[in-house]
Structure formats: C-alpha cells, structure tokens
Amino acid sequence: MGDVVDFAFVQAPEHRPKSSVIVAEGIPLVDLSPINYQIEDSIPVSCIQGLVKEIGSACKEWGFFQVINHKVPLDKRQRIEEAARKFFALDLEEKLKVRRDAVNVLGYFEAEHTKNVRDWKEIYDFNVQEPTFIPPLLQHDDDQSVQFQWDNRWPHNPPDFKEACKEYAQEVEKLAYKLMELVALSLGLEANRFRSYFTHNTSNIRLNHYPPCPYPLLALGLGHHKDTGVLTVLAQDEVGGLEVRRKSDGEWIRVKPIFNSFIINVGDMIQIWSNDAYESVEHRVVVNSEKDRFSIPFFLKPALYTDVMPFEELLGDENPPKYRSLNWGKFRTARMRSNFAKSNVENLQIYHFKFPSDSIEVHNLKSVAKTSAT
C-alpha cells in the first residue's frame, strides 16, 4: 500500500489510536468444555446453567467474550490461515481477477471504507452457503443488470484455497450455532429460538490482511464500527490489534490474543431481537508499523428475507418494543453500498429503526395508568 499514508486513510483526530495501550483483562474468557467434551446425557445441569449465566453476563456487560475448548479442529484453522497468507502474497493483478463489485459482493477487495474513511487492509469474502439467492424485493430497480444470486469467486491460486475455506467454514458454523443456543437460553428463550432464521443464511467468512503501516497513529486497519449481523466468531493471529470500546467508560481496550481461542461478539440483530438487553459494541483494529496482521471473522447472518424485530416473549408493559421491523436484506444491501466509496452521509444504522423515546414513554405511562385502574 506504499510508504506514505494517503489522506483517504487518515482518521479524524478523535478516532486516532493513542500511543499508550490499555490491554484488556476484563473481557470474559469462557470455557466451553461442559458442552463439548462430555457425553451429552451426563452433563450436569449446573454446568450448563453456569455457562449460560457466564454468556449472558458477558453479552450484557461487554458485548464481547473469548471462548476456549470450542472443538473447532486446530489443523483446519491453521490450514485456512496458511491459505489466506498465500492468497494475499499473490500479485495484485492476480487478486483482482476475483475482485468484488456492486453487483456481486463476494471476492477480493482492497478499498473498503468504514465510517467514510478508507481502511488500511485488503480482504477476501466468501459466503458459507452457496449460491446465495436474492429475493425479488432486493433486485436492483435501476440500470444495473439484475443479479438473482451471489456466487463465491474462488481464486485458482493457491490450489487448495477453496477446500481449506469450506472445511473451516463448516466447523466454525457449528460453533456459532452452539453459541446461539447459549445466548437464547441466557435470554430465557428456548435453545433453538434463533435456528429458523438461518435456513437460507447469508453468513460469510472474511479473510483480512493488514499490511504494516508507516503511520500507525494516523490510520486504522478497520475504523470504529458495530457488526451488523447476528454473531461474530473471530480468529486473530498473535500480532493482535483488535480494540473494543468498554461500555463502562468508553475507553478503547486492546484484546490480547490467546492461542487457539475465538473472540465472540454480538451484532446489531441480537440487539434488536433482545430489545437492547444485549448491545452490539463498537470495536476497531489498529495497525502495526512492522508486522503484517491476519484475522478471520465468521459473520453469522440470517436469510435475506428475514424481518427482524424484538421477540414478543421478551416484551411487556415494563419492556415495550424499542424497534420497528427491519428487513435484513434491505439493511445489508444499503450497508454494503457504503463500503465502495466515500459518502456524504453516515451509512444506515439500527438506531434509524428505533421508536422515538417519547413514544416509549407514552407506552409506559399508559401501562402505569392501566395498572392503576385495575
């Protein structure tokens, strides 16, 4: 990416990394042994209850946690990490053969923007379920050619790239579904409450490469943002660089890499489904002046036709709905368009779907009046 930082990469002063780093000790570390390494019938209920409580507490207080003993085979993780390194080491001309565009959002990309500032990284995206069919409501109504499905753009090199990606995807997807069961239980819902939303999922895996940056205090590998999907399962290398905005005081906290662990965070869709019980939390990636950094996030995402709204089981007079219905496909499409170029406006956020606070207050007053009358 060159030796000089182009102005397009320069963060506003308030978003630039500090020279001093706070390393996170508080981000919860959750051991999944109770559900992974015992015969299922013999798992004590108390173990599951403890695990569910840990997950719930982590989601509420941090929006982030790390898991160990997750049962994703280490050799499959190492294989995709090696494939990613080989792919990003290719000449740019070779990588551009599988470059994504505004019609098919999958493949290689080297010019992504977050919050209207260009990220210091290059990426490769592929969908776990392929092909991904696009329902009519999302087909373009302008002059662009209509795309009925998204297909993964697999490179010819390295030769085992596709196989390594698909094998890893299979394993990490299983972990994501297990975690969603624990999240559901922590909210007091049935374990399989979320499962139907992923029959035709749009889940994807991203390979990230953050090259060394000569001005690490001006640019970011990935600008401050919240994840739009449901749940993220991140594998990061030993270089580190992920920072999470701590809810208690707004400080940026560096997440220390732990060998063979995954970093988990809840996304915007869980925030809506849980009616703000669990919040999607801001995070970013700082760059290193000397070392390349690689990471592999898996983004669990629902079907494009999914309408997301707070779960009825969690609502009541004391907890009225805070969001109107959001169509995932339309929301995702709007967000993807903002990744291609700098825009004059902030991209679509879930708070745009929030009911005004005064309407919630009116709802509460009516509930109080109703209770008093009875």
Side-chain angles (χ1 to χ4, degrees), residues 26-75:
I27 287 182
L29 182 64
V30 178
D31 187 342
L32 296 179
S33 298
I35 59 167
N36 281 333
Y37 295 101
Q38 297 189 44
I39 300 166
E40 204 152 314
D41 293 342
S42 70
I43 300 173
V45 176
S46 58
C47 280
I48 292 295
Q49 286 174 340
L51 205 48
V52 167
K53 192 175 177 183
E54 271 187 86
I55 297 279
S57 174
C59 289
K60 199 169 186 65
E61 291 170 26
W62 280 90
F64 271 79
F65 55 98
Q66 294 193 73
V67 294
I68 54 173
N69 294 319
H70 42 70
K71 225 174 178 180
V72 174
L74 181 58
D75 64 325

Side-chain angles (χ1 to χ4, degrees), residues 316-328:
D317 289 343
E318 299 297 314
N319 188 28
K322 295 177 181 175
Y323 297 89
R324 56 191 170 87
S325 179
L326 170 157
N327 178 267
W328 165 248

